[in-house]
Amino acid sequence: MTSFELNQPLRKPRRLIVTGGAGFIGANVVHYWCQKYPGDRVVVLDALTYAGNRQTLAVLDDHPNFRFVKGDICDRPVIDALLHEEAIDTLVHFAAESHVDRSILGPDAFVRTNVVGSFTLLEAFRQHWQSADRPADYRFHHVSTDEVYGSLSHDDPAFTETTPYTPNSPYSASKAGSDHLVRAYHHTYGMPTTITNCSNNYGQYHFPEKLIPLMCINILMGKPLPVYGDGQNIRDWLYVGDHCSAIDAVLHSGTVGETYNVGGNNEVKNIDLVHMLCDLMNELAPDLPVRPAQELITYVKDRPGHDRRYAINSTKLQTELGWTPSVTVQQGLRLTVEWFLANEDWWKPLLSEEYQAYYRKVYA
Ligand code: NAD
Ligand code: DAU
């Protein structure tokens, strides 16, 4: 479901490497791309950390232009070999440690993957691009977050591309570091880079540690729904399918050296969002252990340094590249709840011992 239709009569097939393509957004983009552009080569490079799931991509194994490589973005020889042997022209960089609560428990992995890993990719791509005589149509696209802009109070205007960076968590600070490196590689070397800074995504293949899948699964299992602090924090929710079309728009018609904000125009307080999920589950799930699901809502200790509000102004992407979000939060949450109800086989195996141990640490 997308409102983005780009007319590309002269478009030639691309050869993409997608880092983090076995994670939530990366996998959605890989599915989108293989379906929409079957003539493009799509090579996924993913280390399969706890957040990566090979099963999410299994259906593509018969696709002639798809290849999966298990590997780390800090491993320079692996990246060099792939860029060369696959004659890559486009690198789309999703791989990251992505969860704020985990960055509070252990920031080391965030600096390693998000900063050092991004730097390793930039250096490898720079050498690859320079040895091909600096083609202008090569792209290094970096996928980042609105969290680099910090936290808004109730009346502040939404983040624009020129809002100063004020990251507040180890996660957002590490993403800010990678954004600065990407920007510097364009400014210093002229490397053809683009960046997108996106708001909170949700939808299919979302790992259960994040708010929406966690609430869906806890409702289905009759477990408490842990709402941090007073539940009044606001996020700007974007259906993941709309993020896929935004990446498509930027890869095909974005201007090199530019940053584009991506957001859903769907600001919702956490507690209201949880109520919306409870209502949908009460309506759509036949055998809830606790009904109405609202009885499970439990206020818990707040996340340290918890950002109050995010809101994205995506006017630049809309006016310059013609992208618009096509799904409201009401529509997107319904699609998401339906997906989690229909895909227990996907999410049940993720509730592993490692996940339970993580859960106990955060929610004890
Ligand atoms: P995710 O945690 O679901 O997936 C991350 C993927 O990266 C996993 O498949 C994991 O195995 C892989 N990975 C981690 N470390 C790696 C390494 N060292 N080498 C290779 N692969 C590695 O993340 P997501 O939610 O899909 O987010 C993807 C990107 O989008 C991230 O860069 C994130 O910062 C950004 N982003 C996410 C959101 C959101 O709401 N989820 C919003 C804006 C931006
Ligand atoms: O804004 C973009 C960011 O959105 C991405 O860069 C991150 O990768 C992604 O994880 C997400 O970050 P958040 O911290 O906003 O998402 P999370 O789902 O963890 O939390 C959403 C809100 O819900 C936040 O205010 C914290 C709150 N929350 C979260 C969890 C997991 C709860 O109240 N209870 C919970 O159990």
Side-chain angles (χ1 to χ4, degrees):
M1 205 191 293
T2 166
S3 63
F4 171 71
E5 290 302 332
L6 188 67
N7 189 9
Q8 298 150 346
L10 299 175
R11 185 182 176 281
K12 69 174 168 62
R14 287 186 178 275
R15 300 188 64 84
L16 294 88
I17 187 164
V18 181
T19 72
F24 163 46
I25 305 171
N28 273 283
V29 168
V30 168
H31 281 287
Y32 169 100
W33 209 273
C34 288
Q35 194 184 0
K36 187 165 178 189
Y37 303 115
D40 283 3
R41 178 71 165 161
V42 177
V43 180
V44 168
L45 175 66
D46 197 298
L48 296 182
T49 68
Y50 78 92
N53 190 339
R54 186 66 184 86
Q55 275 314 305
T56 308
L57 300 171
V59 68
L60 293 171
D61 285 340
D62 294 334
H63 189 296
N65 271 328
F66 171 78
R67 177 180 172 195
F68 180 84
V69 177
K70 184 173 180 206
D72 194 316
I73 59 165
C74 297
D75 188 344
R76 179 72 191 269
V78 166
I79 303 159
D80 285 341
L82 276 179
L83 292 175
H84 180 70
E85 78 194 29
E86 292 284 354
I88 295 298
D89 54 46
T90 303
L91 188 154
V92 192
H93 178 30
F94 292 97
E97 290 293 336
S98 71
H99 191 38
V100 174
D101 292 322
R102 288 194 193 245
S103 83
I104 295 166
L105 292 172
D108 317 41
F110 288 73
V111 173
R112 179 185 180 274
T113 290
N114 300 0
V115 182
V116 179
S118 299
F119 167 70
T120 308
L121 289 171
L122 282 162
E123 269 298 273
F125 196 83
R126 177 167 78 91
Q127 189 183 63
H128 176 66
W129 167 72
Q130 286 176 338
S131 56
D133 227 6
R134 301 166 193 255
D137 63 347
Y138 274 29
R139 278 297 176 283
F140 185 108
H141 180 70
H142 177 58
V143 180
S144 192
T145 170
D146 60 358
E147 300 201 10
V148 297
Y149 298 124
S151 179
L152 296 168
S153 58
H154 192 66
D155 299 325
D156 286 335
F159 303 127
T160 69
E161 289 80 1
T162 55
T163 300
Y165 274 34
T166 322
N168 288 319
S169 71
Y171 163 67
S172 55
S174 66
K175 291 297 290 186
S178 60
D179 292 12
H180 291 319
L181 283 168
V182 175
R183 187 182 171 281
Y185 270 63
H186 174 70
H187 188 81
T188 305
Y189 304 112
M191 203 165 94
T193 63
T194 43
I195 302 176
T196 41
N197 291 87
C198 189
S199 63
N200 286 64
N201 283 220
Y202 66 99
Q204 59 185 2
Y205 308 127
H206 206 176
F207 190 82
E209 68 195 349
K210 307 283 169 63
L211 179 73
I212 289 179
L214 184 145
M215 293 295 166
C216 288
I217 290 169
N218 282 15
I219 293 171
L220 290 172
M221 298 179 71
K223 288 178 63 180
L225 308 180
V227 176
Y228 293 162
D230 61 6
Q232 298 297 306
N233 304 66
I234 293 173
R235 297 292 183 265
D236 180 357
W237 293 97
L238 181 77
Y239 187 62
V240 67
D242 282 328
H243 195 177
C244 295
S245 63
I247 302 270
D248 188 350
V250 173
L251 280 182
H252 283 111
S253 30
T255 303
V256 298
E258 291 294 322
T259 287
Y260 299 89
N261 278 355
V262 189
N265 279 335
N266 283 307
E267 283 186 61
V268 188
K269 286 180 186 158
N270 289 343
I271 187 63
D272 295 341
L273 188 96
V274 173
H275 274 280
M276 290 163 81
L277 288 171
C278 288
D279 286 343
L280 281 164
M281 283 290 185
N282 292 335
E283 178 194 334
L284 298 171
D287 306 314
L288 288 184
V290 177
R291 182 183 290 277
Q294 277 83 349
E295 284 179 15
L296 295 167
I297 293 175
T298 312
Y299 287 92
V300 299
K301 192 160 78 67
D302 208 354
R303 172 187 279 175
H306 194 175
D307 284 340
R308 195 63 173 169
R309 172 178 166 241
Y310 305 141
I312 273 277
N313 179 334
S314 55
T315 304
K316 179 174 172 183
L317 184 59
Q318 301 196 24
T319 54
E320 292 185 14
L321 306 189
W323 173 87
T324 49
S326 65
V327 176
T328 65
V329 75
Q330 287 79 7
Q331 293 167 324
L333 288 181
R334 182 172 285 271
L335 290 172
T336 303
V337 166
E338 285 170 351
W339 190 86
F340 274 94
L341 284 171
N343 288 281
E344 192 177 300
D345 288 356
W346 182 86
W347 58 260
K348 263 237 161 108
L350 304 179
L351 311 180
S352 61
E353 189 39 52
E354 191 281 336
Y355 179 78
Q356 305 300 341
Y358 158 79
Y359 200 93
R360 283 192 294 273
K361 268 193 216 156
V362 176
Y363 300 99

